Amino acid sequence: MTAIDASYAGAAAAGNFRTCRYTGLKVEASAQSLIKANAVAAVVFLAIGGVMGLLVALTRWPAVHLLPSDWFYLVLTGHGANVLLFWIIFFEIAVLYFASAILLGSRLATPRIAWAGFWLMIVGALMTNVAVFQGDSSVMFTSYPPMQAAPHFYLGLIIFAVGALVGVGVFFGTLVIAHGERTYEGSIPLVTFGALTAAIIAVFTLASGAIILIPTFLWSVGLISEMDPLLYKVIWWGMGHSSQQINVAAHVSVWYAIGALTIGAKPLSEKVSRSAFLLYILFLQLASAHHLLADPGMSASWKIVNTSYLMYLAVLGSMIHGLTVPGALEAAQRRNGYTKGAFEWLRKAPWGNPAFAGMFLSLVMFGFIGGISGVVLGTEQLNLLMHNTIYVPGHFHGTVVTGTTLAFMAMTYYVLPLIFQRDIIWPKLARIQPYLFGLGAAGISLFMMGAGTLGVPRRHWDMSFTDAILQFELPSGGFLMMGLNGLSAVIASAGGILYILITVGTVLWGKRLDKGEAPLTFPLHKRAATVAEYGSHATVKLPGTIILVTIFFVSFVLYYFVNWKYLSELWLMR
Amino acid sequence: MAITPPENRLWWNEPIERVEIGWIVVAFLWGLFMFFFMIAWHFIGGQNLSTETYRITPAAYEQKVADFAEKYQVGDEMGVPIVRPPVGEDVYLLGRLWEWWPILELKKDQSYRFHLSSVDWQHGFSLQPVNINISVHPGYEQIITFTPTEAGEYGIACNEFCGIGHHLMTGRIRVVE
C-alpha cells in the first residue's frame, strides 16, 4: 500500500516516546515492543491452528477423508486451542495495550510485569501444544470429564490464563497512569471504552476458568478422585462462552477503530455506543447456559432466564452496535461527500483498503451468520434441533472466524505501519486477502450450519458410520454440505496463508517507514475538510443504514420462525 | 473520532439520534418477544425437554437397563438385543463406549417414559433423521416422555466426543404402526 498513502511526520518526542508520523499519537517504546511481541505470537499460533483447521476440514470432506481417526481427534483438539485461545487472546492483549498506552498517549504500566505475563502465556501455550501432540490429550477444547487429558494440558491452559490475566492487569494499570498523568482530556475514547469492557469481562471469565481448571488439573494428577460432569460443564462454560464475549467486545472496538482511522467515522452518539458495551458487562455472563440446554437436571425457568441473557439484553447490545457501526460509517461517508441516494456512501467506500474491507465483511457476517444463528441456537427448545450437531461449529465460525479473526486481520493492516513502522509488501495481494478469507470463512459457517440442520454430528470422524455395528445413513445433502465446507476451507486457508505471508513478509522485509517524505494524516479517506458537529444529530439521515438493519431484522425473524416450524414437526416430548 | 476522547466531556448528556432510539425499541421488543415465546412454547408447543432427573450410579443404571432388556427382548441384531416394551411401560436406553444399547421397538403415537443415561463418559443422543439432540451424563438419569409421530427406522449417533471410537457409537430405534 506504498505507505498506505506515503508521508512523514518528524522527529520523535523526548524520552521513550516517538510520535506516530500518521496519527500524531505518542507511542512509548515498551508499549510498542509488547504490542509487537503479542501480535507476532498471535500470528504464529494462528498459522499453527490454521493448518490444523485445514486438516480437519479435509478430513471431514467425505471425498477426501484425509487423516486417520486418532490424528483427526488430536488435530481437532489442537485447532481449537491454538486459534480460539492462543491466536485470539495474544491479539487481544496487543489490542488492550494499543487501546490504553497508544490511544491515551501514556506510558505502559509495569512493562517488566507485562513481559512476565507475555512469557507465561508463551510457556502455557507451548505446554498445552506439547500435551496435545503427545497424543494422550485429545479431549477437545471443552475437555469434558470424565474424559481426562495429561496434567500438563490443563496446567498449560492455567499458566496461559494467568499470563493473560497479568496482561489485563497491566491494561488497568495503564488506564490509571494515563488518568493520573493527564495524558488525555476528558473521557477515554470509545475504542478504549470497548477494550475496557473486554478487559472487565476477561477478569471474571478467567476467574471461572481458574475455578474449574485448577480442580480439573488436581484431578488429572490424582489429588481429587471425581469430577461431577454436570458441575464441570456449568462452570467451564462460565469461561467458555464469556471468553467469546471478550472477543465480541474487542472486535466491536476494532470496528470502531478502523472506521475512525479509515474514513473518520465517529459514533452516532457516544451515549448509545457506550451503553451497548455496558449491556455486555451486565448480562452476558448468563450466556454460559446456552451450552446446557440439552442437559438434564436444570429447570426450564433457569434455562430460559440464562439463555436469554435475561431477556436478550446482551443481544440488544450487539444489535445496537449493528446499527451504530454502519450508521457511523454512513454518516462519515456522507460528511466526506458521498451523499447521493441511499447507498453511494457504501458503493464508494474504500473497498480496496484491506483494513476497511475486512472490517466491513466482519461486521456484516458477524451479524447475519454468527448473530442470528447464535440466538436461534441458544433458544431453549430450538436447541434440540442442533445441539452438538455440526451446526454449532458452523455458528461459532460465524462469530469467531468471520467476526473476530477477520476483524483482527483487518486491524493488522494498521498495526503494521503504525506500530511496526513497515510498509505492507504485496499491496495487491493484501487487497484481496480479506475477501478470500471472508468468503471462505462464510462458506465454512453456512455449510456447517446446513449440514448440522441435516443431522451431521460435530467432532466426528466418519459421517458415513462405515465401521459401526448398527449402520444408518445421513441424508446425502449432508455429504454435499461437508464437501462444500471442505472447498470453503481451502479458500479460507488460501486467504489465511496470504495473511501470514503478508504479515511475516512485512515485518521482516517491508520498507521501513520511520524516515521518509511528507506527512500523512488519518483518517485516510476524507474528502470534505470540514467535519460536522460532534455526534450525529446535526449531520444525518441514514437511509442506507436503515435499509441494512431492516434487511437484517427481517432475516432474523424469518429464520427464527422457520426453526420453530421445524421443531413443531419433531416427535412430541415433555 | 472513536479513537480520540469525546469532544463533549459530558458524553452522557448528548442527544440520541432518532434512528437509534427507533432501533433500540424494535430490538428490545423483539428480545422481549423471544423471551416470552420460550415460555409460551411450554403451553402451546409439543416439544419441551423434561427436567425430570435423578442421581444414579452407573452400575445401578446398567443393571436397570439389563433387566429391562431381558424382560422384553424379542430378538437380536448383530448381537444387540431388540427390545419391544409394552405400551406405557418405562423404556431404558444407555450410552457407553461405544454403543447405544439396546435396540428399541416402539409404537407410533404411543407415549413412553424414556430413561436416558451413560455408564461411563458423556455422550450425545442424536436421533436421525428427525434430528433430536440430547446430552447424556454418567450419574444422571433423565426421563423424557416421548411420543414418536412417524413410523420407520431411526438411527442414533453419538454427538458428544467420547474418545477414539466416537464415530462408531450408533444405535437404533424402530417405530412400528
Side-chain angles (χ1 to χ4, degrees), chain A residues 39-56:
Chain A
V40 167
V43 169
V44 170
F45 285 108
L46 176 67
I48 300 171
V51 169
M52 291 171 144
L54 178 62
L55 292 173
V56 168

PDB file of all heavy atoms in Angstrom, chain A residues 39-56:
ATOM      1  N   ALA A  39       1.538  -9.485  19.047  1.00  0.00           N
ATOM      2  CA  ALA A  39       0.979  -9.649  17.702  1.00  0.00           C
ATOM      3  C   ALA A  39       1.715 -10.755  16.952  1.00  0.00           C
ATOM      4  O   ALA A  39       1.096 -11.569  16.261  1.00  0.00           O
ATOM      5  CB  ALA A  39       1.062  -8.331  16.933  1.00  0.00           C
ATOM      6  N   VAL A  40       3.042 -10.795  17.104  1.00  0.00           N
ATOM      7  CA  VAL A  40       3.815 -11.838  16.415  1.00  0.00           C
ATOM      8  C   VAL A  40       3.414 -13.215  16.952  1.00  0.00           C
ATOM      9  O   VAL A  40       3.149 -14.150  16.181  1.00  0.00           O
ATOM     10  CB  VAL A  40       5.333 -11.604  16.584  1.00  0.00           C
ATOM     11  CG1 VAL A  40       6.110 -12.842  16.153  1.00  0.00           C
ATOM     12  CG2 VAL A  40       5.768 -10.394  15.775  1.00  0.00           C
ATOM     13  N   ALA A  41       3.336 -13.338  18.279  1.00  0.00           N
ATOM     14  CA  ALA A  41       2.934 -14.624  18.865  1.00  0.00           C
ATOM     15  C   ALA A  41       1.551 -15.016  18.354  1.00  0.00           C
ATOM     16  O   ALA A  41       1.306 -16.174  17.996  1.00  0.00           O
ATOM     17  CB  ALA A  41       2.926 -14.529  20.389  1.00  0.00           C
ATOM     18  N   ALA A  42       0.634 -14.038  18.293  1.00  0.00           N
ATOM     19  CA  ALA A  42      -0.722 -14.318  17.814  1.00  0.00           C
ATOM     20  C   ALA A  42      -0.672 -14.927  16.417  1.00  0.00           C
ATOM     21  O   ALA A  42      -1.290 -15.956  16.145  1.00  0.00           O
ATOM     22  CB  ALA A  42      -1.552 -13.031  17.812  1.00  0.00           C
ATOM     23  N   VAL A  43       0.101 -14.299  15.539  1.00  0.00           N
ATOM     24  CA  VAL A  43       0.140 -14.757  14.146  1.00  0.00           C
ATOM     25  C   VAL A  43       0.763 -16.155  14.050  1.00  0.00           C
ATOM     26  O   VAL A  43       0.304 -16.992  13.267  1.00  0.00           O
ATOM     27  CB  VAL A  43       0.889 -13.731  13.270  1.00  0.00           C
ATOM     28  CG1 VAL A  43       1.182 -14.302  11.890  1.00  0.00           C
ATOM     29  CG2 VAL A  43       0.053 -12.463  13.141  1.00  0.00           C
ATOM     30  N   VAL A  44       1.782 -16.412  14.867  1.00  0.00           N
ATOM     31  CA  VAL A  44       2.393 -17.745  14.842  1.00  0.00           C
ATOM     32  C   VAL A  44       1.370 -18.811  15.241  1.00  0.00           C
ATOM     33  O   VAL A  44       1.229 -19.844  14.569  1.00  0.00           O
ATOM     34  CB  VAL A  44       3.619 -17.796  15.785  1.00  0.00           C
ATOM     35  CG1 VAL A  44       4.102 -19.235  15.953  1.00  0.00           C
ATOM     36  CG2 VAL A  44       4.737 -16.914  15.237  1.00  0.00           C
ATOM     37  N   PHE A  45       0.608 -18.544  16.308  1.00  0.00           N
ATOM     38  CA  PHE A  45      -0.381 -19.544  16.737  1.00  0.00           C
ATOM     39  C   PHE A  45      -1.543 -19.641  15.736  1.00  0.00           C
ATOM     40  O   PHE A  45      -2.118 -20.712  15.553  1.00  0.00           O
ATOM     41  CB  PHE A  45      -0.885 -19.250  18.152  1.00  0.00           C
ATOM     42  CG  PHE A  45       0.134 -19.602  19.196  1.00  0.00           C
ATOM     43  CD1 PHE A  45       0.817 -18.622  19.894  1.00  0.00           C
ATOM     44  CD2 PHE A  45       0.450 -20.935  19.448  1.00  0.00           C
ATOM     45  CE1 PHE A  45       1.779 -18.951  20.836  1.00  0.00           C
ATOM     46  CE2 PHE A  45       1.412 -21.266  20.375  1.00  0.00           C
ATOM     47  CZ  PHE A  45       2.083 -20.279  21.079  1.00  0.00           C
ATOM     48  N   LEU A  46      -1.847 -18.540  15.066  1.00  0.00           N
ATOM     49  CA  LEU A  46      -2.864 -18.605  14.009  1.00  0.00           C
ATOM     50  C   LEU A  46      -2.388 -19.540  12.894  1.00  0.00           C
ATOM     51  O   LEU A  46      -3.163 -20.332  12.353  1.00  0.00           O
ATOM     52  CB  LEU A  46      -3.152 -17.211  13.445  1.00  0.00           C
ATOM     53  CG  LEU A  46      -4.127 -17.192  12.262  1.00  0.00           C
ATOM     54  CD1 LEU A  46      -5.523 -17.617  12.689  1.00  0.00           C
ATOM     55  CD2 LEU A  46      -4.184 -15.807  11.627  1.00  0.00           C
ATOM     56  N   ALA A  47      -1.095 -19.436  12.565  1.00  0.00           N
ATOM     57  CA  ALA A  47      -0.559 -20.291  11.499  1.00  0.00           C
ATOM     58  C   ALA A  47      -0.663 -21.765  11.890  1.00  0.00           C
ATOM     59  O   ALA A  47      -1.124 -22.602  11.107  1.00  0.00           O
ATOM     60  CB  ALA A  47       0.889 -19.908  11.203  1.00  0.00           C
ATOM     61  N   ILE A  48      -0.249 -22.083  13.127  1.00  0.00           N
ATOM     62  CA  ILE A  48      -0.311 -23.485  13.583  1.00  0.00           C
ATOM     63  C   ILE A  48      -1.757 -23.973  13.588  1.00  0.00           C
ATOM     64  O   ILE A  48      -2.094 -25.011  13.024  1.00  0.00           O
ATOM     65  CB  ILE A  48       0.271 -23.616  15.009  1.00  0.00           C
ATOM     66  CG1 ILE A  48       1.744 -23.161  15.030  1.00  0.00           C
ATOM     67  CG2 ILE A  48       0.156 -25.052  15.510  1.00  0.00           C
ATOM     68  CD1 ILE A  48       2.320 -23.064  16.430  1.00  0.00           C
ATOM     69  N   GLY A  49      -2.619 -23.186  14.233  1.00  0.00           N
ATOM     70  CA  GLY A  49      -4.019 -23.592  14.358  1.00  0.00           C
ATOM     71  C   GLY A  49      -4.740 -23.611  13.027  1.00  0.00           C
ATOM     72  O   GLY A  49      -5.630 -24.427  12.800  1.00  0.00           O
ATOM     73  N   GLY A  50      -4.342 -22.722  12.125  1.00  0.00           N
ATOM     74  CA  GLY A  50      -4.975 -22.664  10.815  1.00  0.00           C
ATOM     75  C   GLY A  50      -4.676 -23.910   9.999  1.00  0.00           C
ATOM     76  O   GLY A  50      -5.571 -24.479   9.367  1.00  0.00           O
ATOM     77  N   VAL A  51      -3.405 -24.348  10.024  1.00  0.00           N
ATOM     78  CA  VAL A  51      -3.047 -25.576   9.303  1.00  0.00           C
ATOM     79  C   VAL A  51      -3.872 -26.741   9.844  1.00  0.00           C
ATOM     80  O   VAL A  51      -4.419 -27.562   9.099  1.00  0.00           O
ATOM     81  CB  VAL A  51      -1.536 -25.867   9.451  1.00  0.00           C
ATOM     82  CG1 VAL A  51      -1.215 -27.265   8.933  1.00  0.00           C
ATOM     83  CG2 VAL A  51      -0.728 -24.826   8.701  1.00  0.00           C
ATOM     84  N   MET A  52      -4.004 -26.783  11.176  1.00  0.00           N
ATOM     85  CA  MET A  52      -4.801 -27.852  11.785  1.00  0.00           C
ATOM     86  C   MET A  52      -6.255 -27.777  11.332  1.00  0.00           C
ATOM     87  O   MET A  52      -6.894 -28.801  11.067  1.00  0.00           O
ATOM     88  CB  MET A  52      -4.728 -27.752  13.310  1.00  0.00           C
ATOM     89  CG  MET A  52      -3.350 -28.092  13.849  1.00  0.00           C
ATOM     90  SD  MET A  52      -3.263 -27.706  15.607  1.00  0.00           S
ATOM     91  CE  MET A  52      -2.215 -29.027  16.180  1.00  0.00           C
ATOM     92  N   GLY A  53      -6.770 -26.561  11.225  1.00  0.00           N
ATOM     93  CA  GLY A  53      -8.145 -26.384  10.771  1.00  0.00           C
ATOM     94  C   GLY A  53      -8.338 -26.925   9.364  1.00  0.00           C
ATOM     95  O   GLY A  53      -9.341 -27.579   9.061  1.00  0.00           O
ATOM     96  N   LEU A  54      -7.350 -26.658   8.504  1.00  0.00           N
ATOM     97  CA  LEU A  54      -7.452 -27.160   7.129  1.00  0.00           C
ATOM     98  C   LEU A  54      -7.448 -28.687   7.131  1.00  0.00           C
ATOM     99  O   LEU A  54      -8.232 -29.323   6.417  1.00  0.00           O
ATOM    100  CB  LEU A  54      -6.290 -26.618   6.288  1.00  0.00           C
ATOM    101  CG  LEU A  54      -6.263 -27.101   4.836  1.00  0.00           C
ATOM    102  CD1 LEU A  54      -7.507 -26.643   4.087  1.00  0.00           C
ATOM    103  CD2 LEU A  54      -5.008 -26.608   4.116  1.00  0.00           C
ATOM    104  N   LEU A  55      -6.591 -29.275   7.963  1.00  0.00           N
ATOM    105  CA  LEU A  55      -6.544 -30.744   8.035  1.00  0.00           C
ATOM    106  C   LEU A  55      -7.886 -31.309   8.510  1.00  0.00           C
ATOM    107  O   LEU A  55      -8.359 -32.331   8.008  1.00  0.00           O
ATOM    108  CB  LEU A  55      -5.424 -31.191   8.983  1.00  0.00           C
ATOM    109  CG  LEU A  55      -4.003 -30.905   8.493  1.00  0.00           C
ATOM    110  CD1 LEU A  55      -2.986 -31.235   9.582  1.00  0.00           C
ATOM    111  CD2 LEU A  55      -3.705 -31.710   7.232  1.00  0.00           C
ATOM    112  N   VAL A  56      -8.490 -30.632   9.473  1.00  0.00           N
ATOM    113  CA  VAL A  56      -9.799 -31.072   9.967  1.00  0.00           C
ATOM    114  C   VAL A  56     -10.827 -31.037   8.838  1.00  0.00           C
ATOM    115  O   VAL A  56     -11.557 -32.001   8.595  1.00  0.00           O
ATOM    116  CB  VAL A  56     -10.265 -30.174  11.138  1.00  0.00           C
ATOM    117  CG1 VAL A  56     -11.737 -30.415  11.462  1.00  0.00           C
ATOM    118  CG2 VAL A  56      -9.410 -30.430  12.368  1.00  0.00           C
TER     119      VAL A  56
END
